[in-house]
Amino acid sequence: MNHFALAEAVDTVAIADGRHGYGYADAQPEHRFDPAIDVDRRPLLDWLERIAPLVRAGTLVQVGSGERPGRHLALQAVARCVVTIDADPERLAAIAGSSGFAAERSRLVHDDTLPRDDDAGAAAVPEAIDVLLLDGRRGPAALARALRRYGPRVRDGGLVTVLDDSQSWPSGGAGSDHFVAELERDLLRPLGLRWQRFGGARALHTVEQ
């Protein structure tokens, strides 16, 4: 899929169903924030192009689905298999019931142990992950637990991404920016690695395993 075809596919998701939000996070009116896709358009498309070679025949796992189904549906545009893990069964049901949901290429995992250090639910996730996407809205403690649980499953050459909107309106600051900075300082830099950042205040921080 070339750049223009990818943009068309993801734009279609963003405007397909007003019942599940509309547009991208950076195209919302001042009085109402309800995007179909909770990421800014250009950074998302750039990131999807970055991960496409890895997941075209592989598996993408996202921990935290966002408020609307749009992010899962956008990920389907590039990945052979999208696994979405969330503690809220209503969010997962909304994804399954949305137009464009590809059941044959998706796995929805209800895991309400994510706020704790249990391993229940992890058995439903593939042992080999090509791209791991962690939703930073859960906060630093939940991010650390998810990374401990699923990070070791990311294959060599795979990617780990943290969606960090803590500096953007209307997040209010979940602290995920501090998690990202501390992880780079304590773990990545000693290995000669740094995050690749897609976006500004609402960013996708990505590093290769």
Side-chain angles (χ1 to χ4, degrees), residues 9 31 43 72 85 87 99 105 129 152 195:
H31 62 280
H72 178 101
I85 305 164
S99 59
R105 297 192 293 111
I129 298 172
W195 294 109

Side-chain angles (χ1 to χ4, degrees), residues 27-148:
Q28 298 297 297
E30 292 184 5
H31 62 280
R32 184 171 182 264
F33 186 83
D34 186 20
I37 300 176
D38 55 358
V39 188
D40 296 349
R41 181 179 185 273
R42 182 74 266 160
L44 175 62
L45 292 176
D46 289 344
W47 180 75
L48 289 173
E49 288 189 348
R50 170 70 176 87
I51 70 169
L54 297 174
V55 297
R56 191 172 292 119
T59 298
L60 186 154
V61 173
Q62 68 163 341
V63 183
S65 64
E67 296 293 331
R68 297 297 192 178
R71 197 192 323 146
H72 178 101
L73 302 181
L75 298 174
Q76 288 182 167
V78 295
R80 178 187 62 83
C81 178
V82 179
V83 180
T84 289
I85 305 164
D86 203 280
D88 187 342
E90 292 186 1
R91 290 182 180 179
L92 297 176
I95 294 172
S98 60
S99 59
F101 175 67
E104 70 281 3
R105 297 192 293 111
S106 298
R107 187 181 303 177
L108 303 179
V109 180
H110 175 229
D111 187 356
D112 59 5
T113 70
L114 285 171
R116 308 189 301 275
D117 281 322
D118 305 351
D119 285 329
V125 178
E127 288 296 329
I129 298 172
D130 296 284
V131 175
L132 176 64
L133 173 59
L134 305 176
D135 190 333
R137 295 175 185 86
R138 297 174 173 276
L143 276 171
R145 281 189 289 269
L147 188 59
R148 284 197 303 270

